[in-house]
Amino acid sequence: MTAGFLGRFQPFHQGHQQVVEKYRDEFDELAIIVGSADKEREEENPLSFEERKEIIQTCFPEIEVLPLEDEEKTEEGNKRWAKKLEELDIDTVMSQNDLVQRIVKEKTGLELIEQELFDPGIYSGTEVRRRIRSGEEWSYLVPKCAKRKIEEFTQEIEESGIQYEFKPGWKKENIKRK
Ligand code: NAP
């Protein structure tokens, strides 16, 4: 059985790494499906598919990393997206995302697994991006094996999306747009 662990991986962090390590032996194969694969660089999606794949494969060179482009988030768009997901040659989708779960159950014949989340309050792509953009320490949130590779892309992360200035000791009320 082949499972696909779906997410945006913006960027791959220790929570994602722990999922791979926990589940990889439960299936014949575990692939990583990178969602929003064709999005223009923006606040929530600063890294391209290729950059995300490089980061993931620095830690897990043997794991297949597959792109999945978004469709409109309408009934029809979700149907097209579900069809592309089915065409990826997997039997099982691993996701904690409510919309993904609904689409997989209603529009595909794939099995669904809700993977365990490892310390989601600590490991978060949003937090890694915020720390990189504000010049705070971020590397302890990502796998050691991925740190150098992510460093290569910090400029892309800093420059995409809204530019903020942060005072040390982050507080929401201290955010200033540049
Ligand atoms: P997700 O990977 O399920 O993530 C949901 C939340 O859980 C995020 O906040 C994520 O934070 C967090 N998370 C994920 N794995 C974690 C872990 N192991 N430990 C701790 N926290 C974890 O959802 P997603 O990133 O939005 O990915 C779904 C993809 O499917 C997207 O690309 C979406 O566009 C696509 N999609 C497309 C359509 C369509 O085109 N019509 C429809 C449905 C879904 P992090 O920021 O830390 O990752």
Side-chain angles (χ1 to χ4, degrees):
M1 241 188 17
T2 302
F5 173 25
L6 173 69
R8 285 185 300 110
F9 307 105
Q10 287 284 9
F12 191 69
H13 57 58
Q14 284 198 35
H16 303 135
Q17 179 192 30
Q18 289 183 59
V19 170
V20 174
E21 278 167 358
K22 173 169 175 166
Y23 292 93
R24 61 193 305 190
D25 296 333
E26 293 188 14
F27 301 95
D28 299 328
E29 244 183 275
L30 177 66
I32 291 188
I33 303 172
V34 172
S36 307
D38 57 344
K39 270 231 159 133
E40 290 285 308
R41 292 191 199 279
E42 45 134 18
E43 179 91 2
E44 307 265 288
N45 291 289
L47 299 172
S48 68
F49 164 70
E50 285 301 333
E51 289 160 350
R52 286 177 278 170
K53 178 177 171 178
E54 260 187 63
I55 292 167
I56 295 166
Q57 288 192 327
T58 303
C59 294
F60 297 107
E62 69 292 358
I63 284 189
E64 198 173 6
V65 180
L66 304 166
L68 184 59
E69 295 81 19
D70 283 344
E71 296 284 341
E72 269 178 63
K73 298 216 167 87
T74 57
E75 219 26 52
E76 276 311 303
N78 287 341
K79 239 191 241 170
R80 287 196 297 276
W81 185 80
K83 189 157 179 285
K84 290 196 296 192
L85 185 61
E86 282 197 301
E87 285 166 1
L88 289 179
D89 209 19
I90 52 169
D91 321 286
T92 305
V93 179
M94 222 186 258
S95 173
Q96 280 279 357
N97 179 305
D98 292 344
L99 177 61
V100 170
Q101 293 186 356
R102 183 169 66 75
I103 295 174
V104 170
K105 282 185 203 151
E106 291 176 6
K107 301 187 194 308
T108 77
L110 299 169
E111 196 188 323
L112 176 75
I113 289 183
E114 291 183 40
Q115 82 275 17
E116 187 179 341
L117 291 180
F118 294 91
D119 298 317
I122 297 171
Y123 300 122
S124 140
T126 307
E127 179 63 6
V128 176
R129 296 193 299 277
R130 187 194 68 71
R131 283 174 169 266
I132 289 175
R133 287 180 178 133
S134 63
E136 290 172 55
E137 180 53 43
W138 53 270
S139 59
Y140 71 95
L141 297 174
V142 306
K144 278 203 178 77
C145 45
K147 184 183 162 212
R148 282 245 174 94
K149 190 47 86 182
I150 295 174
E151 256 162 11
E152 287 178 25
F153 301 127
T154 49
Q155 199 178 343
E156 280 77 3
I157 297 176
E158 281 165 15
E159 289 175 359
S160 19
I162 306 161
Q163 301 289 301
Y164 292 109
E165 251 172 17
F166 293 92
K167 292 184 187 166
W170 187 81
K171 279 195 199 144
K172 227 176 191 164
E173 58 269 27
N174 286 345
I175 304 171
K176 262 199 326 202
R177 278 183 193 242
K178 276 188 182 169

mmCIF file of all heavy atoms in Angstrom, residues 5-10 13 15-16 19 34-36 69-74 77-78 81 95-97 99-100 103 115-120 123-126 129, ligand 1:
data_model
loop_
_atom_site.group_PDB
_atom_site.id
_atom_site.type_symbol
_atom_site.label_atom_id
_atom_site.label_comp_id
_atom_site.label_asym_id
_atom_site.label_seq_id
_atom_site.Cartn_x
_atom_site.Cartn_y
_atom_site.Cartn_z
ATOM 1 N N PHE A 5 1.450 11.622 2.145
ATOM 2 C CA PHE A 5 1.331 12.609 3.238
ATOM 3 C C PHE A 5 1.214 13.975 2.566
ATOM 4 O O PHE A 5 2.148 14.448 1.928
ATOM 5 C CB PHE A 5 2.580 12.496 4.123
ATOM 6 C CG PHE A 5 2.720 13.534 5.208
ATOM 7 C CD1 PHE A 5 1.623 14.194 5.747
ATOM 8 C CD2 PHE A 5 3.984 13.836 5.715
ATOM 9 C CE1 PHE A 5 1.769 15.147 6.758
ATOM 10 C CE2 PHE A 5 4.155 14.784 6.723
ATOM 11 C CZ PHE A 5 3.040 15.444 7.239
ATOM 12 N N LEU A 6 0.018 14.569 2.683
ATOM 13 C CA LEU A 6 -0.273 15.810 1.962
ATOM 14 C C LEU A 6 -0.121 17.039 2.853
ATOM 15 O O LEU A 6 -0.596 17.057 3.993
ATOM 16 C CB LEU A 6 -1.719 15.748 1.436
ATOM 17 C CG LEU A 6 -2.274 17.013 0.798
ATOM 18 C CD1 LEU A 6 -1.604 17.317 -0.528
ATOM 19 C CD2 LEU A 6 -3.782 16.888 0.594
ATOM 20 N N GLY A 7 0.518 18.054 2.315
ATOM 21 C CA GLY A 7 0.630 19.324 3.036
ATOM 22 C C GLY A 7 1.283 20.353 2.129
ATOM 23 O O GLY A 7 1.643 20.042 0.997
ATOM 24 N N ARG A 8 1.458 21.576 2.658
ATOM 25 C CA ARG A 8 2.149 22.579 1.840
ATOM 26 C C ARG A 8 3.646 22.599 2.112
ATOM 27 O O ARG A 8 4.427 23.026 1.295
ATOM 28 C CB ARG A 8 1.526 23.964 2.069
ATOM 29 C CG ARG A 8 0.176 24.105 1.365
ATOM 30 C CD ARG A 8 -0.405 25.505 1.473
ATOM 31 N NE ARG A 8 -0.610 25.865 2.855
ATOM 32 C CZ ARG A 8 0.091 26.778 3.535
ATOM 33 N NH1 ARG A 8 1.052 27.457 2.933
ATOM 34 N NH2 ARG A 8 -0.164 27.029 4.798
ATOM 35 N N PHE A 9 4.050 22.196 3.306
ATOM 36 C CA PHE A 9 5.466 22.103 3.665
ATOM 37 C C PHE A 9 6.208 23.407 3.360
ATOM 38 O O PHE A 9 7.222 23.434 2.665
ATOM 39 C CB PHE A 9 6.125 20.907 2.963
ATOM 40 C CG PHE A 9 5.378 19.629 3.204
ATOM 41 C CD1 PHE A 9 4.588 19.049 2.209
ATOM 42 C CD2 PHE A 9 5.410 19.015 4.447
ATOM 43 C CE1 PHE A 9 3.857 17.892 2.443
ATOM 44 C CE2 PHE A 9 4.689 17.848 4.693
ATOM 45 C CZ PHE A 9 3.914 17.292 3.683
ATOM 46 N N GLN A 10 5.675 24.492 3.927
ATOM 47 C CA GLN A 10 6.222 25.846 3.694
ATOM 48 C C GLN A 10 6.861 26.390 4.962
ATOM 49 O O GLN A 10 6.300 27.284 5.592
ATOM 50 C CB GLN A 10 5.097 26.782 3.234
ATOM 51 C CG GLN A 10 4.609 26.581 1.835
ATOM 52 C CD GLN A 10 5.566 27.140 0.774
ATOM 53 O OE1 GLN A 10 6.685 27.547 1.046
ATOM 54 N NE2 GLN A 10 5.099 27.147 -0.459
ATOM 55 N N HIS A 13 9.118 21.067 8.461
ATOM 56 C CA HIS A 13 9.621 21.316 9.816
ATOM 57 C C HIS A 13 9.648 20.019 10.635
ATOM 58 O O HIS A 13 9.314 18.945 10.113
ATOM 59 C CB HIS A 13 8.828 22.433 10.505
ATOM 60 C CG HIS A 13 7.345 22.200 10.595
ATOM 61 N ND1 HIS A 13 6.797 21.121 11.213
ATOM 62 C CD2 HIS A 13 6.305 22.940 10.129
ATOM 63 C CE1 HIS A 13 5.483 21.193 11.151
ATOM 64 N NE2 HIS A 13 5.147 22.280 10.484
ATOM 65 N N GLY A 15 7.724 18.858 12.928
ATOM 66 C CA GLY A 15 6.444 18.156 13.031
ATOM 67 C C GLY A 15 6.247 17.230 11.843
ATOM 68 O O GLY A 15 5.862 16.057 11.987
ATOM 69 N N HIS A 16 6.554 17.742 10.644
ATOM 70 C CA HIS A 16 6.430 16.923 9.432
ATOM 71 C C HIS A 16 7.426 15.752 9.474
ATOM 72 O O HIS A 16 7.085 14.623 9.111
ATOM 73 C CB HIS A 16 6.723 17.761 8.189
ATOM 74 C CG HIS A 16 5.854 18.983 8.018
ATOM 75 N ND1 HIS A 16 6.334 20.210 7.669
ATOM 76 C CD2 HIS A 16 4.508 19.152 8.164
ATOM 77 C CE1 HIS A 16 5.349 21.084 7.582
ATOM 78 N NE2 HIS A 16 4.225 20.477 7.890
ATOM 79 N N VAL A 19 6.216 12.937 11.525
ATOM 80 C CA VAL A 19 5.165 12.166 10.856
ATOM 81 C C VAL A 19 5.807 11.150 9.906
ATOM 82 O O VAL A 19 5.461 9.965 9.899
ATOM 83 C CB VAL A 19 4.207 13.105 10.070
ATOM 84 C CG1 VAL A 19 3.269 12.298 9.176
ATOM 85 C CG2 VAL A 19 3.406 13.980 11.026
ATOM 86 N N VAL A 34 3.098 17.473 -2.236
ATOM 87 C CA VAL A 34 3.259 18.904 -1.961
ATOM 88 C C VAL A 34 2.116 19.665 -2.635
ATOM 89 O O VAL A 34 2.041 19.750 -3.859
ATOM 90 C CB VAL A 34 4.635 19.393 -2.471
ATOM 91 C CG1 VAL A 34 4.740 20.905 -2.387
ATOM 92 C CG2 VAL A 34 5.751 18.741 -1.667
ATOM 93 N N GLY A 35 1.211 20.179 -1.792
ATOM 94 C CA GLY A 35 0.060 20.921 -2.312
ATOM 95 C C GLY A 35 0.435 22.337 -2.712
ATOM 96 O O GLY A 35 1.530 22.815 -2.421
ATOM 97 N N SER A 36 -0.481 23.005 -3.400
ATOM 98 C CA SER A 36 -0.251 24.382 -3.889
ATOM 99 C C SER A 36 1.087 24.441 -4.630
ATOM 100 O O SER A 36 1.883 25.366 -4.448
ATOM 101 C CB SER A 36 -0.258 25.389 -2.732
ATOM 102 O OG SER A 36 -1.428 25.252 -1.976
ATOM 103 N N GLU A 69 -1.098 20.553 -7.986
ATOM 104 C CA GLU A 69 -1.487 21.956 -8.198
ATOM 105 C C GLU A 69 -2.888 22.191 -7.667
ATOM 106 O O GLU A 69 -3.739 21.306 -7.722
ATOM 107 C CB GLU A 69 -1.451 22.303 -9.700
ATOM 108 C CG GLU A 69 -0.068 22.258 -10.327
ATOM 109 C CD GLU A 69 0.356 20.843 -10.685
ATOM 110 O OE1 GLU A 69 -0.517 19.959 -10.781
ATOM 111 O OE2 GLU A 69 1.578 20.617 -10.845
ATOM 112 N N ASP A 70 -3.118 23.397 -7.188
ATOM 113 C CA ASP A 70 -4.455 23.763 -6.706
ATOM 114 C C ASP A 70 -5.419 23.965 -7.875
ATOM 115 O O ASP A 70 -5.012 24.279 -8.991
ATOM 116 C CB ASP A 70 -4.396 25.087 -5.922
ATOM 117 C CG ASP A 70 -3.839 24.900 -4.516
ATOM 118 O OD1 ASP A 70 -3.777 23.750 -4.047
ATOM 119 O OD2 ASP A 70 -3.477 25.909 -3.898
ATOM 120 N N GLU A 71 -6.688 23.805 -7.581
ATOM 121 C CA GLU A 71 -7.785 24.195 -8.477
ATOM 122 C C GLU A 71 -8.621 25.180 -7.674
ATOM 123 O O GLU A 71 -8.406 25.346 -6.469
ATOM 124 C CB GLU A 71 -8.635 22.968 -8.844
ATOM 125 C CG GLU A 71 -7.900 21.910 -9.629
ATOM 126 C CD GLU A 71 -7.694 22.266 -11.092
ATOM 127 O OE1 GLU A 71 -8.425 23.148 -11.590
ATOM 128 O OE2 GLU A 71 -6.795 21.689 -11.724
ATOM 129 N N GLU A 72 -9.577 25.804 -8.332
ATOM 130 C CA GLU A 72 -10.462 26.709 -7.580
ATOM 131 C C GLU A 72 -11.109 25.950 -6.421
ATOM 132 O O GLU A 72 -11.464 24.783 -6.588
ATOM 133 C CB GLU A 72 -11.588 27.180 -8.496
ATOM 134 C CG GLU A 72 -11.296 28.452 -9.235
ATOM 135 C CD GLU A 72 -12.460 28.779 -10.132
ATOM 136 O OE1 GLU A 72 -13.558 29.020 -9.600
ATOM 137 O OE2 GLU A 72 -12.256 28.765 -11.351
ATOM 138 N N LYS A 73 -11.280 26.627 -5.283
ATOM 139 C CA LYS A 73 -11.892 25.923 -4.140
ATOM 140 C C LYS A 73 -13.414 26.044 -4.238
ATOM 141 O O LYS A 73 -14.098 26.597 -3.372
ATOM 142 C CB LYS A 73 -11.313 26.444 -2.833
ATOM 143 C CG LYS A 73 -9.803 26.160 -2.780
ATOM 144 C CD LYS A 73 -9.263 25.811 -1.439
ATOM 145 C CE LYS A 73 -7.859 25.240 -1.520
ATOM 146 N NZ LYS A 73 -6.736 26.107 -1.505
ATOM 147 N N THR A 74 -13.959 25.557 -5.363
ATOM 148 C CA THR A 74 -15.407 25.486 -5.588
ATOM 149 C C THR A 74 -15.748 24.009 -5.714
ATOM 150 O O THR A 74 -14.834 23.178 -5.800
ATOM 151 C CB THR A 74 -15.777 26.163 -6.919
ATOM 152 O OG1 THR A 74 -15.023 25.500 -7.965
ATOM 153 C CG2 THR A 74 -15.422 27.643 -6.925
ATOM 154 N N GLY A 77 -14.089 22.788 -8.851
ATOM 155 C CA GLY A 77 -12.630 22.812 -8.689
ATOM 156 C C GLY A 77 -12.175 21.685 -7.769
ATOM 157 O O GLY A 77 -11.195 20.989 -8.055
ATOM 158 N N ASN A 78 -12.889 21.506 -6.683
ATOM 159 C CA ASN A 78 -12.526 20.438 -5.745
ATOM 160 C C ASN A 78 -12.651 19.064 -6.407
ATOM 161 O O ASN A 78 -11.869 18.158 -6.115
ATOM 162 C CB ASN A 78 -13.416 20.499 -4.499
ATOM 163 C CG ASN A 78 -13.054 21.684 -3.607
ATOM 164 O OD1 ASN A 78 -11.961 22.236 -3.701
ATOM 165 N ND2 ASN A 78 -13.983 22.092 -2.748
ATOM 166 N N TRP A 81 -9.597 18.653 -8.482
ATOM 167 C CA TRP A 81 -8.445 18.438 -7.596
ATOM 168 C C TRP A 81 -8.453 16.999 -7.085
ATOM 169 O O TRP A 81 -7.415 16.320 -7.047
ATOM 170 C CB TRP A 81 -8.513 19.453 -6.452
ATOM 171 C CG TRP A 81 -7.336 19.432 -5.534
ATOM 172 C CD1 TRP A 81 -6.120 20.011 -5.751
ATOM 173 C CD2 TRP A 81 -7.269 18.813 -4.242
ATOM 174 N NE1 TRP A 81 -5.292 19.787 -4.671
ATOM 175 C CE2 TRP A 81 -5.969 19.055 -3.737
ATOM 176 C CE3 TRP A 81 -8.156 18.081 -3.465
ATOM 177 C CZ2 TRP A 81 -5.555 18.601 -2.485
ATOM 178 C CZ3 TRP A 81 -7.739 17.615 -2.227
ATOM 179 C CH2 TRP A 81 -6.456 17.877 -1.750
ATOM 180 N N SER A 95 -3.921 13.259 6.019
ATOM 181 C CA SER A 95 -4.141 14.702 6.137
ATOM 182 C C SER A 95 -4.950 15.022 7.379
ATOM 183 O O SER A 95 -5.817 14.252 7.801
ATOM 184 C CB SER A 95 -4.904 15.210 4.904
ATOM 185 O OG SER A 95 -5.257 16.572 5.081
ATOM 186 N N GLN A 96 -4.684 16.198 7.925
ATOM 187 C CA GLN A 96 -5.431 16.710 9.082
ATOM 188 C C GLN A 96 -6.295 17.885 8.653
ATOM 189 O O GLN A 96 -6.931 18.522 9.474
ATOM 190 C CB GLN A 96 -4.447 17.204 10.149
ATOM 191 C CG GLN A 96 -3.850 16.120 11.005
ATOM 192 C CD GLN A 96 -4.786 15.700 12.120
ATOM 193 O OE1 GLN A 96 -5.855 16.270 12.282
ATOM 194 N NE2 GLN A 96 -4.409 14.705 12.881
ATOM 195 N N ASN A 97 -6.282 18.195 7.368
ATOM 196 C CA ASN A 97 -6.974 19.371 6.850
ATOM 197 C C ASN A 97 -8.453 19.019 6.611
ATOM 198 O O ASN A 97 -8.761 18.058 5.907
ATOM 199 C CB ASN A 97 -6.248 19.772 5.559
ATOM 200 C CG ASN A 97 -6.860 20.955 4.875
ATOM 201 O OD1 ASN A 97 -8.049 20.960 4.579
ATOM 202 N ND2 ASN A 97 -6.046 21.943 4.594
ATOM 203 N N LEU A 99 -10.943 20.352 4.882
ATOM 204 C CA LEU A 99 -11.442 20.356 3.504
ATOM 205 C C LEU A 99 -10.914 19.136 2.742
ATOM 206 O O LEU A 99 -11.656 18.456 2.034
ATOM 207 C CB LEU A 99 -11.029 21.660 2.796
ATOM 208 C CG LEU A 99 -11.418 21.763 1.316
ATOM 209 C CD1 LEU A 99 -12.949 21.692 1.139
ATOM 210 C CD2 LEU A 99 -10.878 23.071 0.699
ATOM 211 N N VAL A 100 -9.622 18.866 2.938
ATOM 212 C CA VAL A 100 -9.030 17.701 2.263
ATOM 213 C C VAL A 100 -9.777 16.428 2.685
ATOM 214 O O VAL A 100 -10.141 15.591 1.859
ATOM 215 C CB VAL A 100 -7.518 17.567 2.602
ATOM 216 C CG1 VAL A 100 -6.965 16.241 2.108
ATOM 217 C CG2 VAL A 100 -6.731 18.738 2.027
ATOM 218 N N ILE A 103 -13.127 16.204 0.964
ATOM 219 C CA ILE A 103 -13.001 15.891 -0.464
ATOM 220 C C ILE A 103 -12.618 14.423 -0.659
ATOM 221 O O ILE A 103 -13.182 13.732 -1.503
ATOM 222 C CB ILE A 103 -11.962 16.828 -1.135
ATOM 223 C CG1 ILE A 103 -12.458 18.278 -1.102
ATOM 224 C CG2 ILE A 103 -11.687 16.396 -2.560
ATOM 225 C CD1 ILE A 103 -11.446 19.304 -1.598
ATOM 226 N N GLN A 115 -3.210 11.739 10.401
ATOM 227 C CA GLN A 115 -1.938 11.466 11.067
ATOM 228 C C GLN A 115 -1.868 12.182 12.411
ATOM 229 O O GLN A 115 -2.548 13.175 12.626
ATOM 230 C CB GLN A 115 -0.750 11.884 10.179
ATOM 231 C CG GLN A 115 -0.393 13.362 10.212
ATOM 232 C CD GLN A 115 -1.212 14.196 9.241
ATOM 233 O OE1 GLN A 115 -2.246 13.760 8.759
ATOM 234 N NE2 GLN A 115 -0.772 15.405 8.960
ATOM 235 N N GLU A 116 -0.998 11.654 13.261
ATOM 236 C CA GLU A 116 -0.762 12.336 14.531
ATOM 237 C C GLU A 116 -0.061 13.667 14.258
ATOM 238 O O GLU A 116 0.770 13.759 13.354
ATOM 239 C CB GLU A 116 0.152 11.440 15.392
ATOM 240 C CG GLU A 116 0.350 11.940 16.781
ATOM 241 C CD GLU A 116 1.245 11.003 17.598
ATOM 242 O OE1 GLU A 116 1.416 9.824 17.214
ATOM 243 O OE2 GLU A 116 1.773 11.463 18.607
ATOM 244 N N LEU A 117 -0.416 14.713 15.008
ATOM 245 C CA LEU A 117 0.314 15.984 14.896
ATOM 246 C C LEU A 117 1.296 16.047 16.060
ATOM 247 O O LEU A 117 0.913 15.814 17.202
ATOM 248 C CB LEU A 117 -0.638 17.173 14.996
ATOM 249 C CG LEU A 117 -1.607 17.403 13.845
ATOM 250 C CD1 LEU A 117 -2.466 18.625 14.126
ATOM 251 C CD2 LEU A 117 -0.875 17.583 12.525
ATOM 252 N N PHE A 118 2.537 16.321 15.772
ATOM 253 C CA PHE A 118 3.544 16.373 16.829
ATOM 254 C C PHE A 118 3.762 17.821 17.249
ATOM 255 O O PHE A 118 4.243 18.632 16.458
ATOM 256 C CB PHE A 118 4.857 15.742 16.352
ATOM 257 C CG PHE A 118 4.716 14.271 16.102
ATOM 258 C CD1 PHE A 118 4.368 13.785 14.846
ATOM 259 C CD2 PHE A 118 4.887 13.360 17.126
ATOM 260 C CE1 PHE A 118 4.218 12.428 14.611
ATOM 261 C CE2 PHE A 118 4.741 11.994 16.901
ATOM 262 C CZ PHE A 118 4.400 11.531 15.645
ATOM 263 N N ASP A 119 3.368 18.143 18.464
ATOM 264 C CA ASP A 119 3.546 19.496 19.008
ATOM 265 C C ASP A 119 3.177 20.603 18.039
ATOM 266 O O ASP A 119 4.012 21.471 17.721
ATOM 267 C CB ASP A 119 5.005 19.698 19.470
ATOM 268 C CG ASP A 119 5.373 18.741 20.589
ATOM 269 O OD1 ASP A 119 4.541 18.559 21.497
ATOM 270 O OD2 ASP A 119 6.467 18.172 20.549
ATOM 271 N N PRO A 120 1.914 20.601 17.551
ATOM 272 C CA PRO A 120 1.543 21.627 16.568
ATOM 273 C C PRO A 120 1.636 23.055 17.116
ATOM 274 O O PRO A 120 1.763 23.999 16.346
ATOM 275 C CB PRO A 120 0.097 21.278 16.181
ATOM 276 C CG PRO A 120 -0.398 20.372 17.245
ATOM 277 C CD PRO A 120 0.797 19.686 17.853
ATOM 278 N N TYR A 123 5.738 23.363 16.511
ATOM 279 C CA TYR A 123 6.225 23.220 15.141
ATOM 280 C C TYR A 123 5.161 23.701 14.176
ATOM 281 O O TYR A 123 4.083 23.105 14.063
ATOM 282 C CB TYR A 123 6.594 21.758 14.859
ATOM 283 C CG TYR A 123 7.664 21.258 15.790
ATOM 284 C CD1 TYR A 123 7.459 20.156 16.600
ATOM 285 C CD2 TYR A 123 8.874 21.940 15.880
ATOM 286 C CE1 TYR A 123 8.440 19.724 17.474
ATOM 287 C CE2 TYR A 123 9.862 21.512 16.753
ATOM 288 C CZ TYR A 123 9.633 20.409 17.542
ATOM 289 O OH TYR A 123 10.607 19.995 18.404
ATOM 290 N N SER A 124 5.456 24.762 13.490
ATOM 291 C CA SER A 124 4.468 25.368 12.601
ATOM 292 C C SER A 124 5.188 26.089 11.474
ATOM 293 O O SER A 124 6.148 26.847 11.710
ATOM 294 C CB SER A 124 3.629 26.351 13.435
ATOM 295 O OG SER A 124 3.358 27.522 12.704
ATOM 296 N N GLY A 125 4.741 25.821 10.249
ATOM 297 C CA GLY A 125 5.336 26.492 9.087
ATOM 298 C C GLY A 125 5.152 27.996 9.190
ATOM 299 O O GLY A 125 6.058 28.775 8.866
ATOM 300 N N THR A 126 3.986 28.401 9.659
ATOM 301 C CA THR A 126 3.707 29.839 9.802
ATOM 302 C C THR A 126 4.734 30.483 10.736
ATOM 303 O O THR A 126 5.251 31.564 10.464
ATOM 304 C CB THR A 126 2.274 30.029 10.377
ATOM 305 O OG1 THR A 126 1.380 29.296 9.554
ATOM 306 C CG2 THR A 126 1.877 31.488 10.415
ATOM 307 N N ARG A 129 8.208 30.730 9.107
ATOM 308 C CA ARG A 129 8.250 31.837 8.136
ATOM 309 C C ARG A 129 8.316 33.181 8.857
ATOM 310 O O ARG A 129 9.066 34.064 8.482
ATOM 311 C CB ARG A 129 7.012 31.796 7.214
ATOM 312 C CG ARG A 129 6.929 30.566 6.341
ATOM 313 C CD ARG A 129 5.879 30.720 5.246
ATOM 314 N NE ARG A 129 4.526 30.925 5.710
ATOM 315 C CZ ARG A 129 3.664 29.972 6.100
ATOM 316 N NH1 ARG A 129 4.041 28.703 6.082
ATOM 317 N NH2 ARG A 129 2.438 30.262 6.491
HETATM 318 P P1 NAP B 1 -2.278 20.681 6.201
HETATM 319 O O1 NAP B 1 -0.923 20.274 5.756
HETATM 320 O O2 NAP B 1 -3.268 19.641 6.502
HETATM 321 O O3 NAP B 1 -2.062 21.632 7.413
HETATM 322 C C1 NAP B 1 -3.104 22.087 8.197
HETATM 323 C C2 NAP B 1 -2.499 22.674 9.424
HETATM 324 O O4 NAP B 1 -1.855 21.669 10.209
HETATM 325 C C3 NAP B 1 -1.435 23.690 9.078
HETATM 326 O O5 NAP B 1 -1.575 24.763 9.973
HETATM 327 C C4 NAP B 1 -0.147 22.930 9.292
HETATM 328 O O6 NAP B 1 0.812 23.799 9.742
HETATM 329 C C5 NAP B 1 -0.468 21.964 10.387
HETATM 330 N N1 NAP B 1 0.317 20.745 10.284
HETATM 331 C C6 NAP B 1 0.385 19.911 9.249
HETATM 332 N N2 NAP B 1 1.160 18.850 9.550
HETATM 333 C C7 NAP B 1 1.601 19.047 10.802
HETATM 334 C C8 NAP B 1 2.429 18.285 11.697
HETATM 335 N N3 NAP B 1 2.935 17.131 11.353
HETATM 336 N N4 NAP B 1 2.676 18.754 12.904
HETATM 337 C C9 NAP B 1 2.149 19.936 13.261
HETATM 338 N N5 NAP B 1 1.337 20.676 12.496
HETATM 339 C C10 NAP B 1 1.074 20.243 11.264
HETATM 340 O O7 NAP B 1 -2.971 21.628 5.167
HETATM 341 P P2 NAP B 1 -2.349 22.468 4.078
HETATM 342 O O8 NAP B 1 -0.929 22.793 4.411
HETATM 343 O O9 NAP B 1 -3.275 23.558 3.807
HETATM 344 O O10 NAP B 1 -2.310 21.438 2.822
HETATM 345 C C11 NAP B 1 -3.408 21.072 2.057
HETATM 346 C C12 NAP B 1 -3.123 21.294 0.585
HETATM 347 O O11 NAP B 1 -4.212 20.808 -0.192
HETATM 348 C C13 NAP B 1 -2.949 22.778 0.246
HETATM 349 O O12 NAP B 1 -1.942 22.926 -0.699
HETATM 350 C C14 NAP B 1 -4.312 23.135 -0.366
HETATM 351 O O13 NAP B 1 -4.278 24.213 -1.270
HETATM 352 C C15 NAP B 1 -4.621 21.824 -1.078
HETATM 353 N N6 NAP B 1 -6.061 21.720 -1.400
HETATM 354 C C16 NAP B 1 -6.475 22.157 -2.638
HETATM 355 C C17 NAP B 1 -7.819 22.124 -2.975
HETATM 356 C C18 NAP B 1 -8.197 22.653 -4.338
HETATM 357 O O14 NAP B 1 -7.289 22.986 -5.099
HETATM 358 N N7 NAP B 1 -9.465 22.797 -4.672
HETATM 359 C C19 NAP B 1 -8.750 21.640 -2.075
HETATM 360 C C20 NAP B 1 -8.305 21.178 -0.833
HETATM 361 C C21 NAP B 1 -6.941 21.223 -0.504
HETATM 362 P P3 NAP B 1 2.146 24.018 8.998
HETATM 363 O O15 NAP B 1 2.029 25.434 8.529
HETATM 364 O O16 NAP B 1 3.092 23.844 10.083
HETATM 365 O O17 NAP B 1 2.340 23.052 7.904
#
